Coordinates of all heavy atoms in Angstrom, one line a residue:
M1 N -1.7 35.7 -2.3 CA -2.3 35.0 -1.3 C -2.4 33.5 -1.7 O -2.8 33.2 -2.8 CB -3.7 35.5 -0.9 CG -4.3 34.7 0.2 SD -5.9 35.2 0.6 CE -5.6 36.4 1.9
W2 N -1.9 32.6 -0.8 CA -1.9 31.2 -1.1 C -3.0 30.5 -0.4 O -3.3 30.8 0.7 CB -0.6 30.5 -0.7 CG 0.6 31.1 -1.4 CD1 1.4 32.1 -1.0 CD2 1.1 30.7 -2.7 NE1 2.4 32.4 -2.0 CE2 2.2 31.5 -3.0 CE3 0.7 29.7 -3.6 CZ2 2.9 31.4 -4.2 CZ3 1.4 29.6 -4.8 CH2 2.5 30.4 -5.0
F3 N -3.6 29.6 -1.1 CA -4.7 28.8 -0.5 C -4.3 27.4 -0.3 O -3.6 26.8 -1.2 CB -6.0 28.8 -1.4 CG -6.5 30.2 -1.5 CD1 -6.2 31.0 -2.6 CD2 -7.4 30.7 -0.5 CE1 -6.7 32.3 -2.7 CE2 -7.9 32.0 -0.6 CZ -7.6 32.8 -1.7
Q4 N -4.6 26.8 0.8 CA -4.3 25.4 1.1 C -5.5 24.5 0.6 O -6.6 24.9 0.7 CB -4.1 25.1 2.6 CG -2.9 25.8 3.1 CD -2.7 25.4 4.6 OE1 -3.6 25.2 5.3 NE2 -1.4 25.4 5.0
K5 N -5.1 23.4 0.0 CA -6.2 22.4 -0.4 C -6.7 21.8 0.9 O -6.0 21.4 1.8 CB -5.6 21.4 -1.3 CG -5.3 21.9 -2.7 CD -4.8 20.7 -3.5 CE -4.4 21.2 -4.9 NZ -4.0 20.1 -5.8
R6 N -8.0 21.6 0.9 CA -8.6 20.8 1.9 C -8.4 19.4 1.7 O -8.6 18.9 0.6 CB -10.1 21.1 2.0 CG -10.5 22.4 2.5 CD -12.0 22.5 2.7 NE -12.3 23.8 3.2 CZ -13.5 24.1 3.5 NH1 -14.5 23.3 3.4 NH2 -13.8 25.3 4.0
Q7 N -8.0 18.7 2.8 CA -7.8 17.3 2.6 C -9.1 16.5 3.0 O -9.7 16.9 4.0 CB -6.7 16.8 3.6 CG -5.3 17.3 3.2 CD -4.2 16.8 4.1 OE1 -4.5 16.2 5.1 NE2 -3.0 17.0 3.7
K8 N -9.4 15.6 2.2 CA -10.6 14.8 2.4 C -10.3 13.9 3.6 O -9.2 13.3 3.7 CB -11.0 14.0 1.2 CG -11.7 14.8 0.2 CD -12.2 13.8 -0.9 CE -13.0 14.5 -1.9 NZ -13.5 13.6 -3.0
K9 N -11.3 13.6 4.5 CA -11.1 12.7 5.5 C -11.2 11.3 4.8 O -12.1 11.0 4.1 CB -12.2 12.8 6.5 CG -12.1 14.0 7.4 CD -13.1 14.0 8.5 CE -13.0 15.3 9.3 NZ -14.0 15.4 10.4
K10 N -10.3 10.5 5.2 CA -10.2 9.1 4.6 C -11.2 8.2 5.4 O -11.2 8.3 6.6 CB -8.8 8.6 4.6 CG -7.9 9.4 3.8 CD -6.5 8.9 3.8 CE -5.6 9.7 3.0 NZ -4.2 9.2 3.0
Q11 N -12.0 7.4 4.7 CA -12.9 6.6 5.3 C -12.9 5.2 4.6 O -12.3 5.1 3.5 CB -14.3 7.1 5.1 CG -14.5 8.4 5.8 CD -15.9 9.0 5.7 OE1 -16.7 8.4 5.0 NE2 -16.2 10.1 6.3
Y12 N -13.4 4.2 5.3 CA -13.6 2.9 4.7 C -14.9 2.4 5.1 O -15.5 2.8 6.1 CB -12.4 2.0 5.2 CG -12.5 1.6 6.6 CD1 -13.0 0.4 7.0 CD2 -12.0 2.5 7.6 CE1 -13.0 0.0 8.4 CE2 -12.0 2.1 8.9 CZ -12.5 0.9 9.3 OH -12.6 0.5 10.6
N13 N -15.4 1.4 4.4 CA -16.7 0.8 4.7 C -16.5 -0.2 5.8 O -16.0 -1.3 5.6 CB -17.3 0.1 3.4 CG -18.6 -0.5 3.6 OD1 -19.1 -0.7 4.7 ND2 -19.3 -0.7 2.5
R14 N -17.0 0.1 7.0 CA -16.8 -0.8 8.2 C -17.6 -2.1 8.0 O -17.2 -3.1 8.7 CB -17.2 -0.1 9.4 CG -16.3 1.1 9.8 CD -16.7 1.8 11.0 NE -15.9 3.0 11.3 CZ -14.8 3.0 12.0 NH1 -14.4 1.9 12.5 NH2 -14.1 4.1 12.2
E15 N -18.6 -2.1 7.2 CA -19.4 -3.4 7.1 C -18.7 -4.4 6.2 O -18.8 -5.6 6.3 CB -20.8 -3.0 6.5 CG -21.6 -2.3 7.4 CD -23.0 -1.9 6.8 OE1 -23.3 -2.5 5.8 OE2 -23.7 -1.1 7.4
S16 N -17.9 -3.8 5.2 CA -17.2 -4.7 4.2 C -15.7 -5.0 4.5 O -15.2 -5.9 4.0 CB -17.4 -4.1 2.8 OG -18.7 -4.0 2.5
Y17 N -15.1 -4.0 5.2 CA -13.7 -4.1 5.5 C -13.3 -4.1 6.9 O -14.0 -3.5 7.7 CB -12.9 -3.0 4.7 CG -13.0 -3.1 3.3 CD1 -14.0 -2.5 2.5 CD2 -12.0 -3.8 2.5 CE1 -14.1 -2.6 1.2 CE2 -12.1 -3.9 1.2 CZ -13.1 -3.3 0.5 OH -13.2 -3.4 -0.9
E18 N -12.2 -4.7 7.3 CA -11.7 -4.6 8.7 C -10.2 -4.2 8.6 O -9.5 -4.7 7.8 CB -11.9 -5.9 9.4 CG -11.2 -7.1 8.8 CD -11.5 -8.4 9.6 OE1 -12.0 -8.4 10.7 OE2 -11.3 -9.5 9.0
P19 N -9.8 -3.3 9.6 CA -8.4 -2.9 9.6 C -7.5 -4.1 10.0 O -7.9 -4.9 10.9 CB -8.4 -1.8 10.6 CG -9.6 -2.0 11.4 CD -10.6 -2.7 10.6
M20 N -6.3 -4.2 9.4 CA -5.5 -5.3 9.7 C -4.0 -4.9 9.5 O -3.7 -4.2 8.6 CB -5.8 -6.5 8.8 CG -5.0 -7.7 9.0 SD -5.8 -9.1 8.2 CE -7.2 -9.4 9.3
I21 N -3.1 -5.5 10.3 CA -1.7 -5.4 10.1 C -1.2 -6.8 9.5 O -1.5 -7.8 10.0 CB -0.9 -5.2 11.4 CG1 -1.3 -3.8 11.9 CG2 0.6 -5.3 11.2 CD1 -0.7 -3.5 13.3
H22 N -0.6 -6.7 8.3 CA -0.1 -7.9 7.6 C 1.4 -7.9 7.9 O 2.1 -7.0 7.5 CB -0.4 -7.7 6.1 CG -0.3 -9.0 5.4 ND1 0.9 -9.4 4.8 CD2 -1.2 -10.0 5.2 CE1 0.7 -10.6 4.3 NE2 -0.5 -11.0 4.5
S23 N 1.9 -9.0 8.5 CA 3.3 -9.1 8.9 C 3.9 -10.3 8.1 O 3.3 -11.4 8.1 CB 3.4 -9.3 10.4 OG 4.7 -9.4 10.8
S24 N 5.1 -10.1 7.6 CA 5.8 -11.2 6.9 C 6.6 -12.0 7.9 O 7.3 -11.5 8.8 CB 6.8 -10.6 5.9 OG 7.7 -11.6 5.4
I25 N 6.4 -13.3 7.9 CA 7.1 -14.2 8.8 C 8.6 -14.2 8.5 O 9.4 -14.2 9.4 CB 6.6 -15.7 8.6 CG1 5.1 -15.7 9.1 CG2 7.4 -16.7 9.4 CD1 4.4 -17.1 8.8
C26 N 9.0 -14.2 7.2 CA 10.4 -14.2 6.9 C 11.2 -13.0 7.2 O 12.2 -13.0 7.8 CB 10.5 -14.5 5.4 SG 9.8 -16.1 4.9
T27 N 10.6 -11.8 6.8 CA 11.4 -10.6 6.9 C 11.0 -9.7 8.1 O 11.7 -8.8 8.5 CB 11.2 -9.7 5.6 OG1 9.9 -9.3 5.5 CG2 11.7 -10.5 4.4
G28 N 9.8 -9.9 8.6 CA 9.3 -9.1 9.7 C 8.7 -7.8 9.2 O 8.2 -7.0 10.0
E29 N 8.7 -7.6 7.9 CA 8.1 -6.4 7.4 C 6.6 -6.3 7.7 O 5.9 -7.3 7.5 CB 8.3 -6.3 5.8 CG 7.7 -5.1 5.2 CD 8.0 -5.1 3.7 OE1 7.2 -5.6 3.0 OE2 9.0 -4.5 3.3
Q30 N 6.1 -5.2 8.1 CA 4.7 -5.0 8.4 C 4.0 -3.9 7.5 O 4.6 -2.9 7.3 CB 4.5 -4.7 9.9 CG 4.9 -5.7 10.8 CD 4.7 -5.4 12.2 OE1 4.7 -4.2 12.6 NE2 4.4 -6.4 13.1
T31 N 2.8 -4.2 7.1 CA 2.0 -3.2 6.4 C 0.7 -3.2 7.0 O 0.2 -4.2 7.6 CB 1.9 -3.6 4.9 OG1 1.3 -4.9 4.8 CG2 3.2 -3.5 4.1
V32 N 0.0 -2.0 6.9 CA -1.3 -1.9 7.5 C -2.3 -1.5 6.4 O -1.9 -0.9 5.4 CB -1.3 -0.8 8.6 CG1 -1.0 0.6 8.1 CG2 -2.6 -0.8 9.4
G33 N -3.5 -2.1 6.5 CA -4.5 -1.8 5.5 C -5.8 -2.4 5.9 O -6.1 -2.5 7.1
F34 N -6.6 -2.8 4.9 CA -7.9 -3.3 5.1 C -8.1 -4.7 4.4 O -7.6 -4.8 3.3 CB -8.9 -2.3 4.7 CG -8.8 -1.0 5.4 CD1 -8.2 0.1 4.8 CD2 -9.4 -0.9 6.6 CE1 -8.1 1.3 5.5 CE2 -9.3 0.3 7.3 CZ -8.7 1.4 6.8
R35 N -8.8 -5.6 5.1 CA -9.1 -6.9 4.5 C -10.6 -6.9 4.2 O -11.4 -6.5 5.1 CB -8.8 -8.0 5.4 CG -9.0 -9.4 4.8 CD -8.6 -10.5 5.7 NE -9.5 -10.5 6.9 CZ -9.9 -11.6 7.5 NH1 -9.5 -12.7 7.1 NH2 -10.6 -11.5 8.5
N36 N -10.9 -7.3 3.0 CA -12.3 -7.5 2.6 C -12.9 -8.7 3.3 O -12.3 -9.8 3.3 CB -12.4 -7.7 1.1 CG -13.8 -7.7 0.6 OD1 -14.7 -8.4 1.1 ND2 -14.1 -6.9 -0.4
K37 N -14.0 -8.5 4.1 CA -14.6 -9.5 4.9 C -15.1 -10.7 4.0 O -15.1 -11.8 4.5 CB -15.7 -9.0 5.8 CG -15.1 -8.1 6.9 CD -16.3 -7.6 7.7 CE -15.8 -6.6 8.8 NZ -16.9 -6.1 9.6
Q38 N -15.6 -10.4 2.8 CA -16.2 -11.4 2.0 C -15.1 -12.2 1.2 O -15.2 -13.4 1.1 CB -17.2 -10.8 1.0 CG -18.4 -10.3 1.8 CD -19.4 -9.7 0.8 OE1 -19.2 -9.5 -0.4 NE2 -20.6 -9.5 1.3
T39 N -14.2 -11.5 0.6 CA -13.2 -12.2 -0.3 C -11.9 -12.5 0.5 O -11.2 -13.4 0.0 CB -12.8 -11.3 -1.5 OG1 -12.2 -10.1 -1.0 CG2 -14.1 -10.9 -2.3
G40 N -11.6 -11.8 1.6 CA -10.4 -12.1 2.3 C -9.2 -11.4 1.7 O -8.1 -11.5 2.2
K41 N -9.4 -10.6 0.6 CA -8.3 -9.9 0.0 C -7.9 -8.7 0.8 O -8.6 -7.9 1.3 CB -8.8 -9.4 -1.4 CG -7.7 -8.7 -2.2 CD -8.2 -8.3 -3.5 CE -7.0 -7.6 -4.3 NZ -7.5 -7.0 -5.5
F42 N -6.5 -8.6 1.0 CA -5.9 -7.5 1.8 C -5.5 -6.4 0.8 O -4.9 -6.6 -0.2 CB -4.7 -8.1 2.5 CG -4.0 -7.0 3.3 CD1 -4.5 -6.6 4.5 CD2 -2.8 -6.5 2.9 CE1 -3.8 -5.7 5.3 CE2 -2.1 -5.5 3.6 CZ -2.6 -5.1 4.9
E43 N -5.9 -5.2 1.2 CA -5.5 -4.0 0.5 C -4.6 -3.1 1.3 O -5.0 -2.6 2.3 CB -6.8 -3.2 0.1 CG -7.7 -3.9 -0.9 CD -8.9 -3.1 -1.3 OE1 -8.8 -1.9 -1.3 OE2 -9.9 -3.7 -1.6
E44 N -3.3 -3.1 0.9 CA -2.3 -2.4 1.7 C -2.5 -0.8 1.6 O -2.8 -0.3 0.5 CB -0.9 -2.7 1.1 CG 0.2 -2.1 1.8 CD 1.5 -2.5 1.1 OE1 1.7 -3.6 0.9 OE2 2.3 -1.6 0.9
V45 N -2.4 -0.2 2.7 CA -2.4 1.3 2.7 C -1.1 1.9 2.9 O -0.7 2.8 2.2 CB -3.4 1.8 3.9 CG1 -3.4 3.3 4.0 CG2 -4.8 1.3 3.6
M46 N -0.3 1.4 3.9 CA 1.0 1.9 4.1 C 2.0 0.9 4.8 O 1.5 0.0 5.4 CB 0.9 3.2 4.9 CG 0.4 3.0 6.3 SD 0.1 4.5 7.2 CE 1.6 5.3 7.4
L47 N 3.2 1.1 4.6 CA 4.3 0.3 5.2 C 4.5 0.9 6.7 O 4.5 2.1 6.9 CB 5.6 0.4 4.4 CG 6.8 -0.3 5.0 CD1 6.5 -1.8 4.9 CD2 8.0 0.1 4.2
I48 N 4.7 0.0 7.6 CA 4.9 0.4 9.0 C 6.4 0.3 9.3 O 7.0 -0.8 9.2 CB 4.2 -0.6 10.0 CG1 2.7 -0.5 9.7 CG2 4.5 -0.2 11.4 CD1 1.9 -1.5 10.6
K49 N 7.0 1.5 9.5 CA 8.4 1.5 9.9 C 8.6 1.8 11.4 O 9.6 1.5 11.9 CB 9.1 2.6 9.1 CG 9.1 2.4 7.6 CD 9.7 3.5 6.8 CE 9.6 3.3 5.3 NZ 10.2 4.4 4.6
S50 N 7.6 2.4 12.0 CA 7.7 2.7 13.4 C 6.3 2.8 14.0 O 5.3 2.8 13.3 CB 8.4 4.0 13.6 OG 7.6 5.1 13.2
K51 N 6.2 2.9 15.3 CA 4.9 3.1 16.0 C 4.2 4.3 15.5 O 3.0 4.3 15.5 CB 5.2 3.1 17.5 CG 4.0 3.3 18.4 CD 3.3 2.0 18.6 CE 2.2 2.2 19.6 NZ 1.1 1.2 19.5
K52 N 4.9 5.3 15.1 CA 4.3 6.6 14.7 C 3.5 6.3 13.4 O 2.4 6.9 13.2 CB 5.4 7.6 14.4 CG 4.8 8.9 14.0 CD 5.7 10.1 14.2 CE 5.1 11.3 13.8 NZ 4.7 12.2 14.8
D53 N 3.9 5.4 12.5 CA 3.2 5.1 11.3 C 1.8 4.5 11.6 O 0.8 4.8 11.0 CB 4.0 4.1 10.4 CG 5.2 4.7 9.9 OD1 5.2 6.0 9.6 OD2 6.2 4.0 9.6
I54 N 1.8 3.7 12.7 CA 0.5 3.1 13.1 C -0.4 4.2 13.6 O -1.6 4.2 13.3 CB 0.7 2.0 14.1 CG1 1.5 0.8 13.5 CG2 -0.6 1.5 14.7 CD1 1.9 -0.3 14.5
E55 N 0.1 5.1 14.4 CA -0.6 6.2 14.9 C -1.2 7.1 13.8 O -2.4 7.5 13.9 CB 0.2 7.0 15.9 CG 0.6 6.3 17.2 CD 1.7 7.0 18.0 OE1 2.1 8.1 17.6 OE2 2.1 6.4 19.0
V56 N -0.5 7.3 12.8 CA -0.9 8.1 11.6 C -2.1 7.4 11.0 O -3.1 8.0 10.7 CB 0.2 8.3 10.6 CG1 -0.4 8.9 9.3 CG2 1.2 9.3 11.2
F57 N -2.0 6.1 10.8 CA -3.1 5.3 10.2 C -4.3 5.4 11.0 O -5.4 5.6 10.5 CB -2.6 3.8 10.0 CG -3.7 2.9 9.6 CD1 -4.0 2.8 8.2 CD2 -4.4 2.1 10.5 CE1 -5.0 2.0 7.8 CE2 -5.4 1.2 10.0 CZ -5.7 1.2 8.7
L58 N -4.2 5.2 12.3 CA -5.3 5.2 13.2 C -6.0 6.5 13.2 O -7.3 6.6 13.2 CB -4.9 4.9 14.7 CG -4.3 3.5 15.0 CD1 -3.7 3.5 16.4 CD2 -5.3 2.5 14.8
K59 N -5.3 7.6 13.1 CA -5.8 9.0 13.1 C -6.5 9.3 11.8 O -7.6 9.8 11.7 CB -4.8 10.0 13.4 CG -5.3 11.4 13.5 CD -4.2 12.4 13.9 CE -4.7 13.8 14.0 NZ -3.6 14.7 14.3
E60 N -5.9 8.9 10.7 CA -6.4 9.2 9.3 C -7.7 8.5 9.1 O -8.6 9.0 8.4 CB -5.4 8.8 8.2 CG -4.3 9.9 8.1 CD -3.4 9.5 6.9 OE1 -3.7 8.7 6.1 OE2 -2.3 10.2 6.8
Y61 N -7.8 7.2 9.5 CA -9.0 6.4 9.2 C -10.0 6.3 10.4 O -10.9 5.5 10.3 CB -8.6 5.0 8.7 CG -8.0 5.1 7.3 CD1 -6.6 5.2 7.2 CD2 -8.7 5.1 6.2 CE1 -6.0 5.3 5.9 CE2 -8.2 5.1 4.9 CZ -6.8 5.3 4.8 OH -6.3 5.3 3.6
H62 N -9.7 7.0 11.5 CA -10.5 6.9 12.7 C -10.8 5.5 13.1 O -11.9 5.1 13.3 CB -11.9 7.6 12.4 CG -11.7 9.0 11.9 ND1 -11.3 10.1 12.7 CD2 -11.8 9.5 10.7 CE1 -11.2 11.2 12.0 NE2 -11.5 10.9 10.8
V63 N -9.7 4.8 13.3 CA -9.7 3.4 13.8 C -9.1 3.3 15.2 O -8.2 4.0 15.5 CB -8.8 2.5 12.8 CG1 -8.7 1.1 13.3 CG2 -9.4 2.5 11.4
L64 N -9.8 2.5 16.0 CA -9.2 2.3 17.4 C -8.2 1.2 17.3 O -8.3 0.2 16.5 CB -10.3 1.9 18.3 CG -11.5 2.9 18.5 CD1 -12.6 2.2 19.4 CD2 -11.0 4.1 19.1
E65 N -7.1 1.3 18.1 CA -6.1 0.3 18.1 C -6.6 -1.1 18.4 O -6.1 -2.1 17.8 CB -5.0 0.7 19.1 CG -3.7 0.0 18.9 CD -2.5 0.6 19.7 OE1 -2.7 1.6 20.3 OE2 -1.4 0.0 19.6
E66 N -7.6 -1.2 19.2 CA -8.2 -2.5 19.5 C -8.9 -3.2 18.4 O -9.1 -4.4 18.4 CB -9.2 -2.4 20.7 CG -8.7 -1.8 22.0 CD -8.6 -0.3 22.0 OE1 -9.5 0.4 21.5 OE2 -7.6 0.2 22.5
E67 N -9.2 -2.4 17.3 CA -9.9 -2.9 16.2 C -9.0 -3.6 15.2 O -9.4 -4.4 14.4 CB -10.7 -1.8 15.4 CG -11.8 -1.2 16.2 CD -12.4 -0.1 15.4 OE1 -11.8 1.0 15.1 OE2 -13.6 -0.3 14.9
I68 N -7.7 -3.3 15.3 CA -6.8 -3.9 14.3 C -6.4 -5.3 14.7 O -6.0 -5.6 15.8 CB -5.5 -3.0 14.2 CG1 -5.8 -1.6 13.8 CG2 -4.5 -3.6 13.3 CD1 -4.7 -0.7 13.7
K69 N -6.5 -6.2 13.7 CA -6.1 -7.6 13.8 C -4.8 -7.7 13.1 O -4.4 -7.0 12.3 CB -7.1 -8.5 13.2 CG -8.5 -8.5 13.8 CD -9.5 -9.4 13.2 CE -10.8 -9.3 13.9 NZ -11.8 -10.2 13.3
K70 N -4.0 -8.8 13.6 CA -2.7 -9.0 13.0 C -2.7 -10.4 12.3 O -3.3 -11.3 12.8 CB -1.7 -9.0 14.1 CG -0.3 -8.9 13.6 CD 0.7 -8.6 14.7 CE 2.0 -8.1 14.2 NZ 2.9 -7.6 15.2
E71 N -2.2 -10.4 11.1 CA -2.1 -11.6 10.3 C -0.7 -11.8 9.8 O -0.1 -10.9 9.4 CB -3.1 -11.4 9.1 CG -3.2 -12.7 8.2 CD -4.3 -12.4 7.1 OE1 -3.9 -11.8 6.1 OE2 -5.4 -12.8 7.3
W72 N -0.3 -13.1 9.7 CA 1.0 -13.5 9.2 C 0.8 -14.2 7.9 O -0.1 -14.9 7.6 CB 1.7 -14.4 10.2 CG 2.3 -13.6 11.4 CD1 3.5 -13.0 11.5 CD2 1.6 -13.3 12.6 NE1 3.6 -12.4 12.7 CE2 2.5 -12.6 13.4 CE3 0.4 -13.6 13.1 CZ2 2.2 -12.1 14.6 CZ3 0.1 -13.2 14.4 CH2 1.0 -12.4 15.1

């Protein structure tokens, strides 16, 4: 009998971090992650290749699409 590992729900500290899409002006490459509100440092979570990638991020971290800011 095989057992599946339970996946931990991914969370972030809403008081210290805000969800953000970081987009390159030159290449158009986009990554999604969290920006520290105090330091401004961006922590990349995943590369966005399609709309589905954003949906996965929203679901995994329980983020509303309206909460995500975009930065170049």
